[in-house]
Amino acid sequence: MISKIDNQALDAEAERILRLNDKGTYTVPTHGLYPYQWNWDSAITALGWAEIDLDRAWTEIETLMASQWDSGMVPHIIFHVPDDSYFPGPDVWQGRGPVPSSGITQPAVAASMVRRILAQDPGQADRMRALYPKFRAWHAWYMAWRRDTRGAIVTTHPWESGRDNAPEWDRQFAAINPVGVGEYQRRDTGHVDPSMRPTKFEYDRYIYLVQEGAKCDWNDAAVADLPFRVSDPTMTFLFLRAHRDLFEMGGELGLETEGMAQDLTQLEAGARSLWNDDIGSYDGRDADSGEFRQCLSNASYLCWFAGVGTARQRAHLNAVLDRLPFGIPSHDPGSPNFDAKRYWRGPTWAFINMLVGMGLADAGETALAQRVQRVTRDLIAANGFSEYFDPTDGSPAGGTSFSWTAAVWLAWARHAVDDAV
């Protein structure tokens, strides 16, 4: 533990960051690098708002859900105001929602976050009742269009998974020839050291998949035939938990929940289908061939958030925290693909730590939950509110003044309890 933590100063800085990134009805992740509203960023950020302004927390979720397409899909980026500091913008995506947006979704963590907000603010149950049909439609879309044959959730684009350059995608990417992508100008490397960002090889394939989706007008059946389909622990575990939270909120509020219990049975089977006995961990796999990716990632540890934690996974987590005491790395540090500062190939992400820690606490894994929480508290206290952190030394990386890191501090990390002396 670091020698002394000034919680009051850190609270003030976290609140300052949220207000700095506040656009009135939505919050950008950080200025410059990410100038729009991102789906799972927004949901996590709402937890931070709930600590300082409950009404503003509800507004964050309501603005996100107002971007919903007629199909039920809630997009991963909502382009509320044009901004040429980001590529690809709405002209490339050609989304067809009520406001300009991307054509893919993101991990459906929002229902789980809004359940926590409702628990803090039960007097606003009517706001949840108004949101409930939108969540039901989004989750129904997920069940219809993002499940593999074994019940796990599939990502059709690395950006949809939220873990853009994770090693799980390498084999799939190697098989994609990004013909016709043409010239384009990235904006992200103008804001952040390129050594911390995805490579051009990866970005060519990101853009190729966007262009192919736009060509088919983001038709759900056509998107399912695009050359990227990976059954993903992030998508699966977060959706399973979100669907369970939505089901339980529906019951508590006296709302319709028909079919949701059966959905949960299928999703639980899908989550367990991601267990790779060869590495003793949950793992991504090719959605069509079933071939595992052989990757132990921070997404693997989200199993507790989904309620399917295992003793083997606990042993992995304790071992990696013993080796790298700066939070959960996004990829196995023993892997040749580990890169301590390059986005999702190694860095620690505070919000993933939080979701893992919350899941551990829910599962009764109190000591390990508190360990993850303490590590995250100390990491932020020592190194600030960066997008992510080098897990080998804790140094900040990626974007700065990051909304969801501030939210993690306010909603969770600052409440860590030290080991008894």
Side-chain angles (χ1 to χ4, degrees):
M1 188 183 76
I2 60 178
S3 57
K4 185 177 180 181
I5 297 175
D6 187 343
N7 275 37
Q8 188 172 9
L10 287 160
D11 291 352
E13 177 61 7
E15 180 174 349
R16 185 193 71 81
I17 288 169
L18 290 191
R19 297 198 184 281
L20 174 70
N21 293 334
D22 183 15
K23 296 297 183 181
T25 58
Y26 66 95
T27 313
V28 299
T30 188
H31 284 282
L33 182 61
Y34 301 113
Y36 299 112
Q37 184 179 22
W38 261 258
N39 187 321
W40 71 335
D41 292 72
S42 202
I44 298 294
T45 298
L47 273 193
W49 279 119
E51 296 297 311
I52 56 179
D53 186 338
L54 278 162
D55 180 70
R56 182 63 186 78
W58 284 105
T59 299
E60 188 78 24
I61 300 294
E62 288 162 347
T63 303
L64 172 64
M65 299 307 290
S67 71
Q68 187 169 44
W69 289 21
D70 288 344
S71 65
M73 192 270 283
V74 180
H76 100 288
I77 308 174
I78 303 98
F79 303 108
H80 293 287
V81 178
D83 192 317
D84 62 8
S85 68
Y86 180 81
F87 174 85
D91 57 324
V92 178
W93 280 101
Q94 299 178 41
R96 49 184 173 82
V99 293
S101 67
S102 63
I104 56 175
T105 194
Q106 262 193 326
V109 72
S112 296
M113 299 302 99
V114 81
R115 188 177 188 195
R116 289 178 175 270
I117 295 167
L118 181 61
Q120 289 178 249
D121 196 19
Q124 295 295 324
D126 283 348
R127 293 177 89 161
M128 186 59 225
R129 288 189 180 95
L131 287 166
Y132 186 77
K134 292 179 175 291
F135 275 104
R136 283 286 273 140
W138 185 21
H139 286 211
W141 174 87
Y142 250 108
M143 293 297 293
W145 296 109
R146 288 297 186 271
R147 278 189 306 154
D148 69 16
T149 56
R150 299 173 69 183
I153 300 298
V154 172
T155 180
T156 64
H157 192 296
W159 288 341
E160 187 166 66
S161 77
R163 296 187 299 124
D164 303 20
N165 66 332
E168 287 96 312
W169 325 137
D170 289 357
R171 197 171 305 175
Q172 210 97 6
F173 265 12
I176 294 176
N177 179 12
V179 61
V181 165
E183 297 296 321
Y184 58 87
Q185 184 177 355
R186 290 175 63 170
R187 305 294 186 182
D188 59 321
T189 51
H191 298 286
V192 172
D193 182 342
S195 69
M196 300 180 184
R197 299 293 297 173
T199 63
K200 185 180 187 304
F201 174 89
E202 291 160 336
Y203 229 87
D204 283 350
R205 285 149 182 81
Y206 300 154
I207 301 305
Y208 173 79
L209 290 170
V210 170
Q211 291 174 345
E212 291 300 297
K215 284 178 187 176
C216 66
D217 195 31
W218 299 106
N219 174 275
D220 287 316
V223 168
D225 287 333
L226 293 180
F228 189 92
R229 284 177 54 79
V230 180
S231 302
D232 173 39
T234 327
M235 300 278 281
T236 300
F237 292 147
L238 295 186
F239 182 67
L240 170 54
R241 172 60 181 267
H243 205 58
R244 188 182 297 126
D245 283 332
L246 188 64
F247 173 60
E248 292 177 2
M249 275 192 294
E252 291 160 4
L253 295 172
L255 301 172
E256 177 270 325
T257 60
E258 184 178 356
M260 295 183 75
Q262 292 85 350
D263 291 346
L264 288 167
T265 298
Q266 295 172 26
L267 291 167
E268 286 164 3
R272 291 189 171 89
S273 78
L274 296 178
W275 182 260
N276 179 354
D277 214 33
D278 290 342
I279 62 171
S281 174
Y282 290 103
D283 188 12
R285 57 173 165 74
D286 187 296
D288 299 315
S289 73
E291 184 180 18
F292 280 111
R293 305 290 82 165
Q294 309 301 329
C295 289
L296 176 61
S297 70
N298 57 354
S300 305
Y301 301 116
L302 291 169
C303 58
W304 284 288
F305 196 69
V308 292
T310 72
R312 292 282 298 278
Q313 207 73 63
R314 185 194 315 117
H316 284 308
L317 182 52
N318 274 311
V320 79
L321 292 175
D322 287 343
R323 180 175 180 177
L324 298 176
F326 296 99
I328 306 169
S330 47
H331 189 59
D332 178 9
S335 165
N337 294 315
F338 177 79
D339 187 332
K341 285 186 165 63
R342 197 179 288 276
Y343 217 37
W344 290 94
R345 300 184 80 87
T348 290
W349 294 73
F351 84 100
I352 294 287
N353 288 0
M354 179 182 74
L355 296 176
V356 172
M358 287 175 170
L360 286 163
D362 291 342
E365 298 275 1
T366 305
L368 188 51
Q370 290 178 350
R371 184 182 190 188
V372 173
Q373 192 173 21
R374 282 194 300 273
V375 162
T376 311
R377 176 200 61 191
D378 294 352
L379 181 67
I380 294 172
N383 297 286
F385 296 92
S386 289
E387 183 177 8
Y388 47 89
F389 303 86
D390 183 324
T392 66
D393 61 12
S395 60
T400 59
S401 299
F402 225 81
S403 294
W404 64 11
T405 310
V408 166
W409 175 265
L410 291 169
W412 180 73
R414 65 173 172 170
H415 303 298
V417 177
D418 290 315
D419 281 321
V421 178

